[in-house]
Amino acid sequence: MLKAIIVDDEQNSRENLTFLLKEHCNGIEIIGTAGSVSEAITEISAKNPDMVFLDIEIGEGSGFDVLEKITGMRAEVIFITAFNQYAVKAFKFAAIDYLLKPVDIQELKDAVLRAEQRIAENTISTKLESLVSNLADGGKKNKKIGLPVSGGIQYFPLEQIIRLQSQSNYTTFFMSDGRQFLISKTLKEYEELLSDQGFSRVHQSHLVNLDFVQQYQKAEGGYVVLSDGTNIPLSKNYKENFIESLNKF
């Protein structure tokens, strides 16, 4: 049985999440709750939980205030947030689990299962720096993205990604050092994350980093030449948007 603490400044939210966990996540025991940053620090420090459900906004403080003041915490953190498009994008960039309010039962079960697996495999994620950086970025370019590779999450600077290529429901990342990573997510998902980070869709199967674009050739229907020598076809459906993005870049 894994021990968990719920941190949320709304009593109804704490009670609701406690109920959902008891009803749908049999392997979780709630050993405490907290409604403020100070209470959370006290509870987590004293009880050393395996898992913390942490609200982003806690009264006048935040969940990050809690994390900053607890050194050496090894608990799995599942963040809870009200809908905020930019915050959600930051979570996706960092590949960290989050739950939107109101909490969906299946999403809760999935997040808990992933956390349980990381705990069992002793691969608890401690890399929250990327998330903090993304959230504090104020709309500027995110610098790193978390990708599920090598049995865990690895963080890559966006400047190392030359292009992405779709393979059905998978996406291959092509890196500037020649490495390739096959990720079990669609290209559309990554397009939504990267479209305001200097990446542009040029074809149904291709998303390119504009930093690596060397030429745009109109011959043969149009194609893009990247700095690694790769030629990527430019589909007419994406041509206008690509040229506009290139001019603004």
Side-chain angles (χ1 to χ4, degrees):
M1 186 75 74
L2 297 177
K3 299 177 180 179
I5 288 176
I6 298 172
V7 180
D8 195 308
D9 61 349
E10 298 178 355
Q11 182 177 347
N12 288 342
S13 294
R14 296 196 300 271
E15 292 175 351
N16 180 58
L17 185 55
T18 297
F19 172 79
L20 292 178
L21 288 167
K22 288 181 178 179
E23 287 291 312
H24 302 285
C25 302
N26 296 329
I28 305 298
E29 177 188 1
I30 308 300
I31 60 171
T33 63
S36 67
V37 170
S38 59
E39 287 180 6
I41 294 170
T42 299
E43 283 287 293
I44 295 171
S45 300
K47 297 180 179 179
N48 192 28
D50 301 299
M51 194 178 301
V52 176
F53 294 88
L54 185 60
D55 193 8
I56 293 297
E57 297 181 356
I58 310 172
E60 298 300 317
S62 74
F64 300 113
D65 294 330
V66 176
L67 296 177
E68 288 174 0
K69 293 173 183 174
I70 299 179
T71 58
M73 186 178 78
R74 292 288 297 165
E76 267 292 330
V77 178
I78 297 176
F79 290 94
I80 306 169
T81 179
F83 180 76
N84 178 296
Q85 188 174 2
Y86 183 70
V88 168
K89 180 173 284 192
F91 285 120
K92 290 181 178 179
F93 254 97
I96 290 177
D97 277 316
Y98 66 94
L99 297 170
L100 290 175
K101 295 181 179 180
V103 174
D104 177 83
I105 294 174
Q106 189 57 53
E107 290 179 358
L108 172 64
K109 292 166 67 175
D110 291 343
V112 167
L113 178 60
R114 288 190 292 268
E116 289 175 333
Q117 290 173 340
R118 289 191 291 268
I119 292 171
E121 297 167 359
N122 196 28
T123 57
I124 296 176
S125 173
T126 58
K127 296 185 177 181
L128 298 172
E129 296 89 351
S130 178
L131 174 63
V132 175
S133 175
N134 288 350
L135 286 171
D137 218 14
K140 299 177 183 178
K141 281 190 177 183
N142 298 288
K143 299 182 186 299
K144 292 184 178 181
I145 187 170
L147 301 179
V149 298
S150 303
I153 304 298
Q154 189 170 344
Y155 291 84
F156 298 91
L158 297 186
E159 63 190 21
Q160 292 182 3
I161 304 170
I162 297 178
R163 63 187 180 93
L164 294 75
Q165 183 171 345
S166 172
Q167 297 183 31
S168 187
N169 290 326
Y170 292 81
T171 299
T172 299
F173 279 71
F174 292 83
M175 317 302 288
S176 57
D177 60 5
R179 289 182 297 171
Q180 299 179 18
F181 299 98
L182 182 64
I183 309 299
S184 59
K185 290 187 178 181
T186 65
L187 185 63
K188 181 175 178 56
E189 292 179 74
Y190 285 115
E191 180 187 11
E192 292 173 353
L193 277 182
L194 297 170
S195 61
D196 60 353
Q197 303 294 319
F199 287 73
S200 180
R201 189 79 171 260
V202 296
H203 185 273
Q204 183 177 354
S205 301
H206 299 280
L207 183 71
V208 301
N209 186 341
L210 295 176
D211 275 331
F212 290 92
V213 174
Q214 281 196 333
Q215 299 179 43
Y216 157 52
Q217 294 288 343
K218 297 181 180 180
E220 300 177 10
Y223 61 93
V224 177
V225 181
L226 303 181
S227 58
D228 66 346
T230 305
N231 291 351
I232 304 296
L234 177 58
S235 169
K236 63 179 182 180
N237 293 332
Y238 298 99
K239 181 178 179 179
E240 182 178 347
N241 183 68
F242 166 72
I243 294 175
E244 182 179 342
S245 298
L246 202 58
N247 290 334
K248 289 181 178 179
F249 190 65

